[in-house]
Amino acid sequence: MPRSARSFLVRLGITIMVTTLALAACGEREPTAAEAGATLKTHILKLMKEVNAQNIQITDPGGKDIPCGDDKFKRTFAAIGHSAPPYSQPIHMKDEMRGALGRVADYIGIGVPDLSKPAKVADKSANTVLILDASSTGKYLVSGETECLNQS
């Protein structure tokens, strides 16, 4: 192989390697508010399924961009589901939801865990935050919102 061809291939290889490293450093693009909102809805409904919630009712259908400054927007979604009789204690139901989160997505707790209060959890890769709660009448209460993101 002529020297000029080898030199060209070496320069091409270096260019490809530098480009690949630069793209890897950039990571994935941030989702839009609509994309994160769809993920939020999926996560909440999947969590309800994981805890075998019955008669699920959507209490906040979301689907609307909510301005949060700097040309950024967030989306919300919420649902209620009933536990199968006999009703469990709220503290056990909240613990059950926390345990099921690992089968839904990569959520981690925010703040100090206290099962006597609603739990706040976040999935940084999905740009979503959930609030997990339960009532004394056997209802799972899950609401959530996306972080403030670009509209499109």
Side-chain angles (χ1 to χ4, degrees), residues 62-86:
K64 297 177 187 171
D65 288 332
I66 301 167
C68 50
D70 297 328
D71 290 327
K72 301 276 185 171
F73 299 85
K74 65 181 175 180
R75 296 267 177 121
T76 60
F77 188 83
I80 294 174
H82 300 267
S83 76

Side-chain angles (χ1 to χ4, degrees), residues 42-56:
T42 299
H43 286 178
I44 289 175
L45 293 176
K46 186 172 181 184
L47 179 60
M48 289 290 192
K49 181 179 178 185
E50 287 293 328
V51 295
N52 296 313
Q54 309 291 313
N55 304 319
I56 298 169

